[in-house]
Amino acid sequence: MTLTSRLYETEHDLLDMLDMLMEARAQTSDWRYAHVGEMLFDFFMVVCHLNPQEHIRLWHDGAGKLVGYAMLGEDPAFNWQILPAYEWTGIEDEAWDWANTLVAELRRRDAELWGGPMVSGARQDNAQRIAFLEQHGFRYSGRFAEVNMLRFLDDPIAQSPVPDGFEVRALAETGETAQRAAAERAVWLPWTVGNVSDDDYAYFMRLPGYHRDLDVVAVAPDGIIAAYVNGWIDPVNRIGDFGPVGAVPEYRRRGLTRAALLENLRRMKAHGMERVCVSTGISNTAARNLYESVGFRVVNQYLDYVRAE
């Protein structure tokens, strides 16, 4: 089996990564591989804070087809995805060697920024991936473990009233980028996912796979974006994904996120999706209750692993 590897170069590589993930899911299940929406947001974080030409590595077969990739994000976070036919043929070991070497170099450059332990993860039913992590010194943490939830779209989608003066709709075509970025910061800072400038969000909206009509927002009477639900679609496997999802603190507990979720479910169905997935922290009872209230059910778990240095 002849394989070559190189670092990420252009957006054509990103398109290949999207196609590869959808192909992998078509060959396996909804949970063996990341949803394209998960990958796109991880990629966005690399673009915002790092350099994809340094932090993403690709593997191609003899015909030039992408068969695997690895990504090193902040924390530092190590992730990899490989087509089923090429799993456990050596790419995982090469990916680990690359990531481990890169982390060592990054720590030499900035020990404070990169000095934390490496993190990674696996679905609870992916025994081979878990074994690989454990063989390389990773141990289950539980701090950032998640439940994976699923909702089928052939079930009825309820209506949800919103407070007087509020509106639930897609992000406007113009004039709301700064407000949308501000909402992201308000919900997620000081976490990395909230470290997004107005220009960053404008780039986010240009990503392949971003659909403005699936960036659903709840807007207050004064024009403030109070809650939002990002939606992503996998048209090959007809499964959507929600994330990030959030409400600005002062607008919580008003039913705004629930209304945005239900509106986005309807839009997902209009895009031809048959089901939608979403994930949240195992201990985030409020979010789990919210998702269950609109029809989601827990079907899997994502386990977080930390490597002792």
Side-chain angles (χ1 to χ4, degrees), residues 218-251:
V219 184
D222 60 1
I224 296 294
I225 292 177
Y228 60 83
V229 177
N230 271 124
W232 310 89
I233 62 170
D234 173 346
V236 172
N237 299 292
R238 296 186 178 275
I239 180 169
D241 177 68
F242 286 157
V245 175
V248 174
E250 56 265 36
Y251 290 99

Side-chain angles (χ1 to χ4, degrees), residues 41 44-45 48-49 74-75 119 142-146 181-197 200 228 244-245 249 252 281 283-284 304:
F41 201 85
F44 172 58
M45 289 288 98
C48 284
H49 308 138
E74 294 173 286
D75 291 328
V119 299
R143 185 180 178 193
F144 298 109
E146 296 182 335
E184 195 79 18
R185 293 190 294 270
V187 171
W188 293 103
L189 281 176
W191 302 101
T192 300
V193 68
N195 186 12
V196 173
S197 70
D200 289 336
Y228 60 83
V245 175
R252 289 173 183 166
S283 61
N284 192 344
D304 60 320

